[in-house]
Amino acid sequence: MITGPPYPDTSEAIIVAVRTLLRKAAADLSRTCDPTDPGAAQDALEQHLRQRRRLATEPPVEFTATLDLCLSAADQSAVGALLEAQRAQAVADILRRQSTQALAAELADPAAVLARWADQDRADWSKPPHSEAEKLSAVFAQYRPAHERTLDHEVLEVVRDFLASFPHLSQKQVLYSFVAGGMDHANRPQHAAKARALLNGHAAPAPDGET
């Protein structure tokens, strides 16, 4: 839509100028649009071209525009092929990640590593790879998916390693009591109660004859 006084002698020039300006505006914005989402591109371009613009004439000519975006048959075919390839790649990536995570979780146990070794046709039962199995399982135990590579998870790993360095149950009980006390001090009574419940659930059994 063009507003302004009539220009009988230069109407064609004005139309060309308007088209040129609108095409440039549409081309500049289209570079930021996703070619696989024509609907979103239609909305973005239409909103952009709906803004009122002005030609540097005297008096000035103001205009707005609407847009009906459509793709050629060749472009539609290309977009369809691209979307299909993206979907196939996404499925393949998910399956690969699931397989990797499942395998890593399984082989984090030395027994699972030895079971894999035993499944080999030429497994030498006179020389089972105990030390190698433990080394391999330690490597797999350190594997973490991307969503678990956060500071919280890293802190948990440090705490888990610290607790594991105290092998005796009595030592662990003292440490767990400290943890529960720290939770109380931090005004987290519910967490402290859960920690004490875990501690009581793993308490050492009473000697024979005692209750």
Side-chain angles (χ1 to χ4, degrees), residues 17-49:
V18 168
R19 286 178 176 173
T20 301
L21 196 152
L22 290 174
R23 284 172 177 167
K24 184 179 185 306
D28 290 342
L29 182 62
S30 64
R31 294 188 181 94
T32 66
C33 297
D34 184 356
T36 64
D37 191 354
Q42 164 80 33
D43 293 341
L45 288 168
E46 186 169 6
Q47 182 178 4
H48 184 57
L49 297 180

Side-chain angles (χ1 to χ4, degrees), residues 47-58:
Q47 182 178 4
H48 184 57
L49 297 180
R50 196 183 299 133
Q51 301 173 10
R52 186 170 295 276
R53 289 173 170 80
R54 175 179 295 188
L55 287 181
T57 58
E58 187 58 39

Side-chain angles (χ1 to χ4, degrees), residues 34 41 45 49 57 64 78 107 127 153 161 166 173 188 194:
D34 184 356
L45 288 168
L49 297 180
T57 58
T64 60
L107 297 184
K127 298 178 181 179
H153 284 87
D161 185 61
F166 295 89
Q173 289 175 325
R188 299 295 187 273
K194 292 179 180 179

Side-chain angles (χ1 to χ4, degrees), residues 1-210:
M1 179 180 67
I2 300 177
T3 61
Y7 291 83
D9 297 332
T10 59
S11 58
E12 187 65 29
I14 290 176
I15 293 174
V16 172
V18 168
R19 286 178 176 173
T20 301
L21 196 152
L22 290 174
R23 284 172 177 167
K24 184 179 185 306
D28 290 342
L29 182 62
S30 64
R31 294 188 181 94
T32 66
C33 297
D34 184 356
T36 64
D37 191 354
Q42 164 80 33
D43 293 341
L45 288 168
E46 186 169 6
Q47 182 178 4
H48 184 57
L49 297 180
R50 196 183 299 133
Q51 301 173 10
R52 186 170 295 276
R53 289 173 170 80
R54 175 179 295 188
L55 287 181
T57 58
E58 187 58 39
V61 173
E62 294 184 344
F63 58 93
T64 60
T66 58
L67 175 73
D68 185 13
L69 180 65
C70 60
L71 299 177
S72 66
D75 289 339
Q76 289 178 348
S77 177
V79 169
L82 178 60
L83 289 174
E84 182 64 28
Q86 289 178 341
R87 285 192 289 265
Q89 185 63 49
V91 171
D93 290 344
I94 292 173
L95 292 176
R96 183 173 61 252
R97 284 195 298 268
Q98 290 178 342
S99 176
T100 300
Q101 292 171 9
L103 182 62
E106 175 189 353
L107 297 184
D109 184 355
V113 176
L114 288 174
R116 290 268 182 166
W117 168 82
D119 283 340
Q120 298 180 100
D121 293 336
R122 298 182 180 181
D124 186 355
W125 286 91
S126 65
K127 298 178 181 179
H130 291 294
S131 59
E132 290 78 3
E134 292 179 356
K135 293 177 183 178
L136 286 173
S137 64
V139 172
F140 283 109
Q142 295 175 0
Y143 168 79
R144 290 292 179 272
H147 67 277
E148 292 185 4
R149 298 171 195 167
T150 63
L151 179 60
D152 288 347
H153 284 87
E154 292 179 5
V155 171
L156 288 175
E157 289 299 324
V158 173
V159 173
R160 185 182 292 111
D161 185 61
F162 172 73
L163 294 175
S165 65
F166 295 89
H168 301 296
L169 180 60
S170 59
Q171 296 174 318
K172 294 183 184 296
Q173 289 175 325
V174 173
L175 293 173
Y176 297 160
S177 297
F178 285 151
V179 171
M183 291 176 176
D184 277 327
H185 185 70
N187 295 322
R188 299 295 187 273
Q190 293 181 345
H191 293 85
K194 292 179 180 179
R196 290 193 176 93
L198 291 173
L199 175 61
N200 294 333
H202 291 81
D208 293 340
E210 296 185 10

